[in-house]
């Protein structure tokens, strides 16, 4: 279940795709020019331009609620990404984590929740494991990291 979207793309295409900025000091955002999505520059629990600290782990319901109430970088319309959106961040050329280190400094290789429930079981949801960019599912009471998204 590896993301193959970027497998054949040259490195420069991916690097130009993501633009990190800090519209509010200490609250970085990343604009994905390919999907036109804006991502929190840090996972929940991390702070500052370099995203220091450890990602805080939340259940699926806590992750949904966390994103709904965020006021990050002056924006209040954050949400938990669906699995397709979250998977689009995985860079298969990288591992541990499989995320662009310039766009997402301090990114941990942990599992991150998506908002997408498993069709076969309402008690499970999809997540991306950014150790290698793989996706899988788990029960919603498990605790994983969170990175919110918005449509600018």
């Amino acid at each position: 279940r590896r993301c193959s979207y970027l497998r054949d793309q040259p490195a420069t295409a991916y690097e130009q795709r993501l633009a990190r900025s800090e519209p509010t000091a200490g609250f970085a955002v990343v604009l994905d020019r390919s999907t036109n999505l804006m991502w929190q520059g840090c996972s929940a629990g991390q702070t500052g331009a370099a995203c220091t600290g450890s990602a805080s782990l939340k259940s699926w319901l806590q992750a949904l609620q966390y994103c709904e109430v965020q006021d990050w970088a002056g924006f209040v319309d954050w949400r938990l990404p669906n699995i397709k959106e979250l998977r689009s961040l995985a860079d298969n050329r990288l591992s541990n984590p499989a995320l662009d280190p310039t766009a997402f400094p301090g990114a941990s290789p942990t599992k991150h929740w998506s908002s997408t429930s498993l069709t076969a079981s309402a008690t499970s949801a999809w997540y991306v494991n950014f150790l290698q960019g793989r996706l899988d599912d788990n029960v919603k009471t498990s605790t994983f990291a969170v990175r919110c998204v918005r449509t600018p």
Side-chain angles (χ1 to χ4, degrees), residues 26-99:
F27 295 91
V29 295
V30 176
L31 179 63
D32 184 334
R33 294 180 182 114
S34 175
T35 63
N36 197 35
L37 293 173
M38 181 179 286
W39 296 89
Q40 284 184 316
C42 302
S43 294
Q46 295 180 306
T47 59
C51 297
T52 56
S54 298
S56 59
L57 305 180
K58 302 180 182 308
S59 71
W60 183 79
L61 184 57
Q62 290 170 331
L64 285 171
Q65 293 168 340
Y66 170 84
C67 289
E68 286 177 5
V69 299
Q70 282 307 293
D71 181 354
W72 182 273
F75 301 105
V76 295
D77 56 346
W78 297 100
R79 59 182 170 76
L80 192 62
N82 66 44
I83 192 61
K84 183 178 178 181
E85 293 167 336
L86 187 61
R87 185 174 70 173
S88 75
L89 290 181
D91 185 343
N92 286 338
R93 298 168 298 140
L94 304 172
S95 65
N96 199 19
L99 281 168

Side-chain angles (χ1 to χ4, degrees), residues 1-9 87-88 90-93 132-135:
R1 298 185 193 186
R2 262 176 93 88
C3 176
S4 61
Y5 174 73
L6 299 170
R7 186 172 292 138
D8 300 321
Q9 299 220 1
R87 185 174 70 173
S88 75
D91 185 343
N92 286 338
R93 298 168 298 140
Q132 296 176 321
R134 296 182 187 270
L135 57 132

